[in-house]
Structure formats: C-alpha cells, structure tokens
Amino acid sequence: MSSEKSNANNPIDLARQRLLPDDPRVLLADDAAKSGIPHDWFLLKEEDLYLTLEMPNGREKRRRVLDKNSCQRFLNHSYASVKYLASWDACYFDDENRVEAGIVALSTEAGLRRVQQLPGVRLASSATLDINEEELDEVALFQVERSTRNENAWFLRFPDDLSNGCSIEIGTASDRFGIFCRSPRGVGSITLNIANVSINRHDDLVRLLQKVSDSVFFELDTRYDIGLRIADYGRGINRRRFLNTRSASQSQPAVRTPKAQYDEKAMSLYWYGRSSARLPLLEYLAYYQVLEFYFPAYSRRDALDRLRQELRDPRFEPDDDVQLARILALASRSGKGFGTEREQLKAALRACVPEDHLREFIESNEKLHAHVTDKKAIRDVACVHLTDKNSDLISQVANRVYDIRCRIVHTKEEIGETTKDLLMPFSKEAEQLVWDIELVKYLAQKLLVAGATKMTW
C-alpha cells in the first residue's frame, strides 16, 4: 500500500500534487485504498505519472502499471471484480461469473484464423457465417459483449452446456478482457470464454480452466488439426508447423462440446509435443513420453492376464519348479511396469489402439504408408508392412516407435543388444521424422482417449 504522506522534495509527490481531484489516477488511487488493493505511484519521466495496482492473482499479485486513460477504463469496468488466474493471460470476472482466457496457436497464427472457419462460427453482430436457414431458429443472443470497435467480432459457441451449467465459447476478445488482460503481440485477440461459473476460489478456477481448455483444445486438435493453448501472461509462442494434412475445402464435422477429461500430466506432455513442431526429436520424445506415462497401468494388466491364464491351466502344478519359475518370470518387474520397455509399449498399444483403426490411419495417407515401409528412410528401425502375415500390426508399429526412440536417446534397446547410431538433430533423417511424428502423435491421442474419464465438476 502506498504511503499518503507527502514529501515536498519527492518528484513523485510533486507530480501528484499537480493532478486535479477528478483525474482518473487520483480517483482510482482513492478507490483502491478504500478497497484494500495495494497501489503505488511510478514516475517514468518528469511529467509521466503512472499508478500501479497489485491485483489479486491467487496467493500472489499481478502488477498493472496504468496511465491516465487506463485508470479511467479500470474505473468504468469494475476493476475490483477482476481476479487473475495463475500465470495465464486470463481472468475471472466475479460480477459476471465468467472466465475469459487469451488463446495462442501452437504453430503459426494461421491456426487462429482456421478457428474462424469452423462450422457454427457466427458474427457477434447477429449476422451469420456458415449457417443455413434451418439453423436460424437456434441462434441464441451472444451473452458476452464483444468488441464494439470491431465489426467482424465473431464467436463459436459449443452447443451443449456442461453438467454444472457452464457454457463454452471461443471468439473475439471482449472489450473488458482487452482492458484487463493483454494478448501477446501478433497473435490476435481470441479468447476462450466460460460462462455461468459457480465457483470463485482461485485454485478451483485454475483447475476449471485447465480442465476445460485441455478438453476443448484436444477436441479441436484431433478433429480439425488445430493446435491451441492458453496464452501465458505477456508471452506468446512463435512456432511453425510444416504439416497440414487437412484441406480448408474439406467438409468438417460440426463442433461439439467435449464430454471427457484427461490426465493433466499426460496432457501436459502432449501439449509440449504439439508446441515443439520445429524440433522434431523433442516433439517425437514428448509424444513417446505420453505413451510411456501409461506403461505401468497397461503392462500390469497384461501381466495379470497372462498370470491368470497360467494359473487357470488344468496342467498347472504348484509343486513343479519349472512352472513356478515361469510364473515368477511373468511377475517380475522392470522399472515401474512389468516386462521390458518394448513389451510394455506393445501392451499399452494393444489395450488402447484397435488394429483396424491403426491400419486405416496408415492406409489413409499414402506418404505415411510409403515412409514406414521404406527401410532407407530412417536406418536401423523396424519397417511396417500391412500385408505381413508373420507379425501383427501392433507389434510392427511398436517395434518401429521404440527403435526410433532408442536412436534419439542413444540407448541400448534391450540387455545384450548393441547401441545404434545416434539420430542427429538437423540431419536428413531428422527431417524424415515428420511422418513418424504423425504416427506417434496418433498413438498418443489414442492412449489419452483410452485413459479419459467423464467430465466431472
């Protein structure tokens, strides 16, 4: 809290004394003092006097440095009802029961523009985009006041309210958001909006925003190949994605409200991969870590199934040392899971990835199909042949995924096997990883979906 004592020799106090009583800086400072919001004064130059507010941000504070015009806007838009959330460019408007958060693309800014091309996008002026006459009766009034300075303000509302009554929208940032938050330069002003929020505790709001954004963005990523994330306060992401397999002219399925929630740690690894598009080795390993996250659960399930089969065999004899040794080998642990890492990978994929889905994914992309069958594309890794009758498709893909992982981290595959050459960054082989990255990303998505639970609040 600033001191109200005046010092005649203090340049800041001299500048304050020159302010008129109705100056917005004076009015906001007085109001902040009454509201118990810490504030102070900042003199940039001899005449440039700013007011600083320490706004609520959970257990911390977010400092805002305000000029005369900004102070007036804070006063006009109920600044005392604003709570900032974690380290994001996001806030909760207590008087509206609403969370709004800035969005950035994981690759290029084209990702943000592509959101505007999704089915169901509407202009906030009540004009419509991509909508037919049969849908007109379903158009609801847009509840959030969008930018009055932008005729092209738009929004995309997810059709179903969540189980707790919240509703979700993506679109042009509201005027109020533009006053209290700041999107990173060059990424546009697009926000995720959650309305009808019935909680107001900071940590609960952070969990809500994390849960909703993970589910919404994963839905958009898997259905439309659009990578998004919540913007960090004052920072943006400048990544480039060189692969876009979906044409803008292709018909796209209607946007739907996510019904599932995902493990926060596994999802964090997935977003790390999606944001590393210019670093193929790092991107590949991030998706592999998503697979690895689920190894213990599925390898244990696989080991229990095999143990159960052995014990149910009518020929099993508990006095037979050889049979007991086999049981002991099945139950042996390796790291956090059961069996070797290659075996754990196969167990996880068999449990979560239907072979016909995997076959369709590979067959649907000619370049991917050609790449995984070419033994010269990336050396010392298993190829995948859809017509191979001696090995099932899951095993072939698991072997390839694991071989590439070993070449990236330069480790021995299994005990007794030789170490293969390191897959070097910026090499031709690293550039060729693009299709294997798409494959391991697809597998990571499948495991995330398999491990999802129903959205709860």
Side-chain angles (χ1 to χ4, degrees):
M1 187 77 69
S2 67
S3 172
E4 298 300 327
K5 293 181 179 180
S6 176
N7 185 337
N9 297 321
N10 189 323
I12 291 179
D13 289 332
L14 292 174
R16 285 174 55 191
Q17 291 171 11
R18 289 193 290 268
L19 299 180
L20 297 174
D22 60 351
D23 188 290
R25 289 166 290 186
V26 175
L27 296 176
L28 183 56
D30 291 343
D31 193 74
K34 295 175 183 176
S35 302
I37 296 177
H39 62 284
D40 211 333
W41 295 90
F42 175 71
L43 189 64
L44 183 61
K45 296 179 181 178
E46 192 171 325
E47 297 294 332
D48 294 335
L49 186 62
Y50 294 80
L51 181 68
T52 65
L53 294 186
E54 301 292 332
M55 299 285 287
N57 192 174
R59 298 174 184 82
E60 301 176 357
K61 300 291 182 183
R62 182 170 299 186
R63 191 183 191 198
R64 297 302 311 272
V65 181
L66 308 173
D67 61 10
K68 179 178 179 180
N69 292 331
S70 296
C71 286
Q72 186 61 62
R73 287 193 289 268
F74 264 51
L75 287 166
N76 292 343
H77 288 82
S78 305
Y79 74 97
S81 298
V82 176
K83 297 178 181 177
Y84 291 99
L85 301 180
S87 60
W88 293 317
D89 191 34
C91 56
Y92 171 65
F93 298 112
D94 195 5
D95 54 342
E96 298 181 60
N97 298 323
R98 181 170 66 85
V99 171
E100 191 168 359
I103 297 175
V104 292
L106 290 176
S107 52
T108 65
E109 292 181 25
L112 294 179
R113 290 192 291 271
R114 288 179 58 213
V115 178
Q116 300 180 53
Q117 301 169 3
L118 291 175
V121 169
R122 296 169 172 82
L123 290 175
S125 62
S126 79
T128 59
L129 296 175
D130 191 23
I131 188 170
N132 57 48
E133 292 183 2
E134 294 178 356
E135 294 178 293
L136 288 176
D137 292 339
E138 301 177 5
V139 178
L141 293 177
F142 193 37
Q143 297 177 351
V144 178
E145 181 185 350
R146 294 297 173 181
S147 175
T148 57
R149 295 165 293 179
N150 184 358
E151 297 178 340
N152 298 317
W154 59 273
F155 70 96
L156 171 65
R157 180 168 185 179
F158 289 77
D160 302 319
D161 288 346
L162 302 177
S163 59
N164 65 343
C166 293
S167 61
I168 307 170
E169 293 168 346
I170 289 178
T172 306
S174 67
D175 281 345
R176 196 175 187 191
F177 180 86
I179 291 168
F180 293 106
C181 291
R182 56 186 190 189
S183 295
R185 293 179 183 177
V187 301
S189 299
I190 297 178
T191 58
L192 170 67
N193 187 76
I194 309 172
N196 304 321
V197 176
S198 59
I199 56 178
N200 56 22
R201 186 171 172 269
H202 174 269
D203 291 355
D204 293 334
L205 291 166
V206 168
R207 279 190 287 269
L208 171 70
L209 180 54
Q210 182 77 67
K211 186 185 299 185
V212 170
S213 63
D214 276 346
S215 295
V216 169
F217 295 161
F218 189 65
E219 183 91 5
L220 296 180
D221 186 34
T222 53
R223 288 168 65 82
Y224 308 103
D225 193 29
I226 298 175
L228 304 173
R229 59 158 287 179
I230 299 297
D232 292 325
Y233 178 64
R235 298 198 302 274
I237 291 181
N238 183 19
R239 306 285 190 187
R240 293 190 178 275
R241 183 64 176 167
F242 48 82
L243 181 67
N244 180 14
T245 57
R246 186 184 298 275
S247 168
S249 62
Q250 284 182 265
S251 62
Q252 301 184 88
V255 173
R256 63 188 185 190
T257 302
K259 303 297 183 184
Q261 62 187 33
Y262 306 92
D263 187 283
E264 185 176 334
K265 293 180 180 178
M267 186 59 75
S268 179
L269 293 169
Y270 180 81
W271 294 130
Y272 185 52
R274 286 293 275 131
S275 65
S276 304
R278 296 186 68 181
L279 302 169
L281 303 188
L282 189 62
E283 184 176 11
Y284 187 95
L285 286 179
Y287 294 136
Y288 184 86
Q289 284 183 297
V290 176
L291 307 181
E292 200 172 32
F293 179 85
Y294 292 101
F295 282 1
Y298 293 112
S299 65
R300 181 176 183 272
R301 181 185 302 178
D302 185 63
L304 287 174
D305 288 342
R306 287 188 286 172
L307 275 172
R308 191 175 292 111
Q309 291 174 11
E310 289 285 339
L311 295 173
R312 285 176 176 173
D313 193 325
R315 294 166 295 184
F316 175 72
E317 293 290 343
D319 295 328
D320 188 328
D321 288 348
V322 174
Q323 294 188 43
L324 287 177
R326 186 163 58 242
I327 294 293
L328 184 62
L330 285 173
S332 63
R333 297 180 65 89
S334 176
K336 293 183 178 180
F338 290 83
T340 65
E341 187 166 341
R342 188 190 295 269
E343 291 170 345
Q344 292 181 63
L345 174 58
K346 291 179 181 179
L349 296 187
R350 286 196 182 99
C352 303
V353 186
E355 186 164 312
D356 57 334
H357 289 194
L358 180 57
R359 184 179 300 276
E360 182 183 356
F361 176 77
I362 296 174
E363 286 180 333
S364 65
N365 192 313
E366 293 182 4
K367 293 183 179 180
L368 169 62
H369 189 189
H371 174 77
V372 297
T373 60
D374 184 2
K375 64 180 180 181
K376 295 181 180 179
I378 300 179
R379 294 177 295 107
D380 298 326
V381 302
C383 291
V384 176
H385 299 287
L386 300 181
T387 58
D388 189 348
K389 297 181 180 179
N390 297 319
S391 178
D392 66 278
L393 183 57
I394 294 293
S395 293
Q396 292 185 65
V397 169
N399 286 334
R400 182 178 184 87
V401 168
Y402 187 69
D403 287 346
I404 293 174
R405 173 262 179 200
C406 289
R407 284 205 58 196
I408 293 175
V409 300
H410 202 218
T411 60
K412 294 181 180 179
E413 293 186 359
E414 307 291 357
I415 296 176
E417 295 189 21
T418 57
T419 302
K420 293 174 177 152
D421 289 341
L422 180 65
L423 205 163
M424 297 298 295
F426 312 113
S427 66
K428 184 177 180 180
E429 285 188 315
E431 294 176 0
Q432 297 277 15
L433 271 181
V434 54
W435 297 114
D436 283 291
I437 288 173
E438 290 304 305
L439 178 59
V440 73
K441 182 178 79 170
Y442 170 80
L443 299 175
Q445 291 172 350
K446 284 292 189 182
L447 265 67
L448 281 163
V449 170
T453 57
K454 184 178 179 181
M455 182 75 81
T456 57
W457 305 96

